[in-house]
Amino acid sequence: MCGIVGYTGFQDAYDIVINGLRRLEYRGYDSAGIVLEGSNNKLEVEKTKGKVDDLVNISKELKGTAKIGMGHTRWATHGVPSDRNSHPHLSNNGKIAIVHNGIIENYDTIKKMLSEKGFTFQSETDTEVLVNLIQYFMDLNPEIDFPTAVRYALNEVYGAYAITVLHEDYPGILVVGRLGSPLAIGIGDKEYFIASDASPFVEFTKEAIYLEEGHMATISLENGVDIRTITENSKIQPEIQQLKLNLEQIEKGGYEHFMLKEIFEQPKSVHDTMRGRLLVDEGIIKMAGIWDHLERFKNANRIIIIACGTSWHAGLIGEYLIEEYARIPVEVEYASEFRYRNPIITDKDVVIAISQSGETADTMAALKLAKEKGAFIYGICNVVDSSIARITDAGSYTHAGPEIGVASTKAFTAQLTILTLIAFKLGKHNGNLGNADFMSLIAELDAIPKRIEEVLNTTHEQIKEIAKDFVETTNFLYLGRGYNYPAALEGALKLKEISYIHAEGYPAAEMKHGPIALIDENMPIVIIAPKRGHYDKIVSNVQEIKARKGKIIAVVNKGDRQVSEMADYVIEIPETSECFSPIVASVPLQLLAYYIAVYRGANVDQPRNLAKSVTVE
Ligand code: M6R
């Protein structure tokens, strides 16, 4: 949700900022802007509604003019996407520039106060209020320096922010701060980088500091990185981390879109999720996070899974898995609802938070509440060292590698893999899963990457063709039962996110309680109907659809007859135990959504109105 890039060093700041913004464009793409500190220290700003390419069109003359600067790519919160609302924002005196990711919740009160003092505002943003608050403190206390004024201002605001600020009278200095939104500082040789994640600087340095919550830093070539707490101004010793990210992981590698690349990466990403954890020959699942807290899980009154979007769908499948194999009661909650409905949480509860980005504000807020009430918090995140990963008591990374396409694919199947491991591990430990079943299930799980590969090889070309028939379609239904009901929800979400076709997921049996009214010859229905999973009941559901002339796209196991005979399109996947079928069945649904969106000319990696990490509540 908004991407920030900053740079000071010996290279051309324009190139670093623009290339960095391209890598962060997945975070928001409503508008883009850049500010550079030129040779006369004057701040040169260019910004525009639209994407980084639009920014390049209007800012080329800035190339080669500066060695320090910063930029922004925006996902609009306050104010429509427009040139005026684009970042960077300047203070009234034109000397201070800011880029901001997050929301200043009390901006209105501050804006009123500043307006009374004579400040004027060009935009509708909360960010412009903050930059003027910095100027206000400098005007009020001429003896304080620029970083101190930023600190004073940050102490007055609440909400979420990652900011980078430049001041014309303080050349060579970048001031950054963080509360609730991520910010990384790359440490190069005689150069420093700032970014919302490490991707903009990974080819220049492998050393980074992830700014902690409530910290700010003053960065200059002369004095390096000086980190302080925002409230107390106490000096902090930075912890420099070695980045594991490499360039190849964040490039498209010959695929047309990141989403397609990420769909095809799933045999590897699922394997990576299990690597070192699933030791089939020894018959063990080794997960440090769970291992160290097995008794906490075993004695839990219940497990509450909280998440949003695709991660919430993974959570629903987690509920089926954990209840079936570990027999521990599980509730799955939308993080945004959980937080605001005064939930009953006790210190006997275990809360599992699932988040690809580890930055989702709704999930973060729900977690904080559960923590306050004494629950044990377990995180399942993909992004290492993300905010959620940091505040949990224990957790497991999914290790799916960077997911750049806004529509989640490989992170979802990696989340399912972790949840499967947890369910089997807990079931084995508390005696609900006998040794023979455990051994056979883990052997099957170990082979799931091969099953995914098989699905990719056998269905890809076929789905490309099927998708052509649905380019003009306006509505879709997705149905599944048991484990595949959440898979149906996820299939529908993928389609609507990237193709803008209205799609709904339902438990197949629920169809007769309402959605069946929608079915006619124009309604395509994707039905997930594997052999093992209430097959007979699904056959009846398919008959009901057929009787109403719905167009059936069936995802079935190889060799299926009953459903296939009734279906208009048949996509075959290998047969697995029911608990693994959502992983395997999700792959063709991802491909279907992808190709329909591509044929409709949609921007698959950057769907309208969405952003990869949603850091506002
Ligand atoms: O990073 P998170 O997993 O916490 O994100 C949660 C949702 O915002 C996310 O899954 C969203 O629904 C995706 N766009 C799904 O493709």
Side-chain angles (χ1 to χ4, degrees):
M1 189 131 305
C2 299
I4 290 177
V5 183
Y7 177 75
T8 177
F10 55 87
Q11 303 190 58
D12 180 14
Y14 180 83
D15 282 347
I16 302 278
V17 170
I18 293 291
N19 293 335
L21 289 180
R22 288 193 200 284
R23 299 229 174 109
L24 293 182
E25 217 170 9
Y26 73 90
R27 300 179 66 88
Y29 29 84
D30 289 330
S31 66
I34 186 167
V35 55
L36 300 178
E37 196 179 273
S39 50
N40 56 359
N41 300 337
K42 273 246 155 294
L43 298 181
E44 300 288 350
V45 179
E46 288 290 358
K47 54 187 190 170
T48 180
K49 180 181 171 194
K51 304 205 175 204
V52 178
D53 280 345
D54 300 301
L55 175 64
V56 171
N57 287 339
I58 60 159
S59 66
K60 286 192 190 103
E61 78 288 352
L62 291 180
K63 191 171 161 56
T65 61
K67 304 280 184 228
I68 177 167
M70 60 191 193
H72 187 266
T73 174
R74 177 170 186 249
W75 185 81
T77 56
H78 292 67
V80 295
S82 68
D83 294 354
R84 273 189 315 120
N85 288 332
S86 310
H87 300 214
H89 289 284
L90 288 177
S91 56
N92 274 198
N93 62 9
K95 289 182 176 231
I96 313 169
I98 191 169
V99 290
H100 167 218
N101 168 25
I103 284 188
I104 307 299
E105 288 178 6
N106 57 338
Y107 83 104
D108 211 25
T109 320
I110 299 171
K111 192 171 185 175
K112 278 195 191 99
M113 182 279 283
L114 291 174
S115 301
E116 280 162 19
K117 310 271 178 209
F119 281 84
T120 56
F121 297 89
Q122 313 303 314
S123 75
E124 299 146 85
T125 66
D126 49 344
T127 309
E128 196 187 3
V129 173
L130 180 55
V131 72
N132 280 305
L133 188 63
I134 298 170
Q135 183 196 320
Y136 168 74
F137 279 116
M138 296 194 82
D139 293 348
L140 197 68
N141 312 290
E143 74 285 359
I144 66 166
D145 63 6
F146 163 49
T148 307
V150 174
R151 193 168 68 75
Y152 280 13
L154 292 182
N155 274 305
E156 293 302 315
V157 299
Y158 55 83
Y161 55 78
I163 54 159
T164 304
V165 200
L166 277 170
H167 194 306
E168 214 169 83
D169 296 343
Y170 290 78
I173 293 178
L174 288 152
V175 178
V176 300
R178 173 204 169 155
L179 189 73
S181 301
L183 205 68
I185 304 168
I187 318 287
D189 185 16
K190 300 194 183 66
E191 57 183 348
Y192 295 101
F193 306 82
I194 294 153
S196 301
D197 69 36
S199 61
F201 54 78
V202 68
E203 70 260 53
F204 303 112
T205 179
K206 289 281 186 233
E207 296 200 331
I209 299 166
Y210 286 92
L211 204 61
E212 299 275 351
E213 289 287 89
H215 288 179
M216 59 181 286
T218 304
I219 302 162
S220 67
L221 292 179
E222 213 177 332
N223 296 316
V225 181
D226 177 48
I227 303 182
R228 307 267 165 171
T229 59
I230 292 169
T231 45
E232 307 294 336
N233 197 29
S234 313
K235 198 168 168 58
I236 301 288
Q237 203 47 46
E239 193 193 316
I240 298 180
Q241 305 203 11
Q242 294 300 315
L243 296 175
K244 294 207 179 80
L245 191 70
N246 62 53
L247 205 53
E248 203 178 88
Q249 287 175 300
I250 54 170
E251 287 183 338
K252 285 191 202 149
Y255 287 90
E256 201 186 339
H257 295 101
F258 281 110
M259 184 177 171
L260 190 61
K261 176 184 175 224
E262 287 156 8
I263 292 172
F264 271 86
E265 276 174 350
Q266 290 177 108
K268 179 173 184 309
S269 54
V270 167
H271 177 76
D272 287 349
T273 306
M274 296 191 292
R275 201 197 340 235
R277 290 170 168 153
L278 180 61
L279 310 176
V280 180
D281 294 342
E282 293 152 55
I284 47 175
I285 291 173
K286 240 169 130 183
M287 294 172 84
I290 292 283
W291 188 259
D292 297 341
H293 304 281
L294 270 173
E295 292 307 301
R296 193 75 158 90
F297 274 90
K298 188 177 171 186
N299 298 323
N301 274 352
R302 60 182 175 162
I303 292 175
I304 306 170
I305 299 180
I306 51 179
C308 307
T310 289
S311 299
W312 183 77
H313 296 153
L316 290 177
I317 296 168
E319 176 181 22
Y320 284 73
L321 283 159
I322 295 171
E323 291 204 342
E324 176 167 0
Y325 292 106
R327 306 304 297 157
I328 301 171
V330 180
E331 284 169 32
V332 188
E333 300 264 3
Y334 277 121
S336 54
E337 287 299 311
F338 180 76
R339 167 75 176 78
Y340 291 103
R341 68 166 179 79
N342 196 13
I344 299 166
I345 314 163
T346 73
D347 57 7
K348 285 263 185 319
D349 292 326
V350 168
V351 169
I352 299 181
I354 308 177
S355 175
Q356 186 286 130
S357 62
E359 302 294 343
T360 301
D362 289 321
T363 310
M364 189 69 168
L367 268 193
K368 284 183 179 159
L369 177 75
K371 208 169 177 157
E372 272 163 36
K373 305 261 183 189
F376 177 76
I377 315 287
Y378 196 87
I380 299 177
C381 296
N382 193 40
V383 177
V384 176
D385 262 327
S386 52
S387 304
I388 291 174
R390 280 157 177 248
I391 72 153
T392 48
D393 296 308
S396 304
Y397 285 118
T398 41
H399 296 309
E403 189 181 66
I404 294 166
V406 166
S408 191
T409 52
K410 65 173 179 172
F412 175 66
T413 46
Q415 289 164 346
L416 296 186
T417 307
I418 286 285
L419 288 161
T420 309
L421 289 169
I422 290 176
F424 292 171
K425 174 91 200 161
L426 294 178
K428 177 84 190 311
H429 178 71
N430 65 18
N432 283 300
L433 184 55
N435 199 48
D437 287 342
F438 176 80
M439 292 304 285
S440 116
L441 282 166
I442 62 170
E444 199 180 343
L445 176 58
D446 193 44
I448 288 298
K450 284 205 188 73
R451 300 286 90 82
I452 299 175
E453 202 164 339
E454 206 177 314
V455 173
L456 286 166
N457 291 337
T458 55
T459 66
H460 183 211
E461 291 304 321
Q462 182 201 7
I463 290 172
K464 265 186 180 171
E465 290 306 309
I466 296 176
K468 286 181 185 158
D469 291 351
F470 297 98
V471 177
E472 303 298 333
T473 305
T474 49
N475 289 293
F476 256 89
L477 275 180
Y478 283 70
L479 304 176
R481 291 184 87 124
Y483 281 92
N484 286 304
Y485 151 54
L489 292 179
E490 175 57 13
L493 178 66
K494 284 291 84 79
L495 185 72
K496 63 186 144 196
E497 277 188 305
I498 59 172
S499 71
Y500 320 135
I501 294 174
H502 173 241
E504 295 294 336
Y506 275 97
E510 267 298 300
M511 188 185 58
K512 58 186 175 292
H513 298 290
I516 198 162
L518 296 168
I519 297 177
D520 61 16
E521 64 280 8
N522 298 316
M523 176 66 90
I525 296 114
V526 177
I527 185 139
I528 312 169
K531 268 265 155 345
R532 293 188 246 174
H534 321 283
Y535 184 76
D536 293 343
K537 302 274 177 203
I538 290 254
V539 169
S540 310
N541 299 140
V542 176
Q543 271 155 351
E544 288 153 15
I545 300 168
K546 196 74 196 158
R548 285 151 187 93
K549 299 195 170 62
K551 265 204 185 89
I552 299 164
I553 304 164
V555 179
V556 295
N557 287 146
K558 285 213 168 84
D560 176 276
R561 292 235 334 268
Q562 272 180 289
V563 170
S564 302
E565 276 166 9
M566 290 184 278
D568 299 275
Y569 304 85
V570 176
I571 299 168
E572 289 190 333
I573 58 171
E575 188 173 336
T576 62
S577 291
E578 191 189 352
C579 64
F580 303 120
S581 59
I583 304 186
V584 180
S586 291
V587 175
L589 302 194
Q590 294 165 350
L591 286 170
L592 184 66
Y594 172 80
Y595 279 108
I596 292 176
V598 167
Y599 297 148
R600 285 166 68 91
N603 186 339
V604 174
D605 282 337
Q606 295 172 353
R608 71 182 179 206
N609 305 338
L610 297 179
K612 187 69 186 163
S613 69
V614 184
T615 55
V616 292
E617 275 190 69

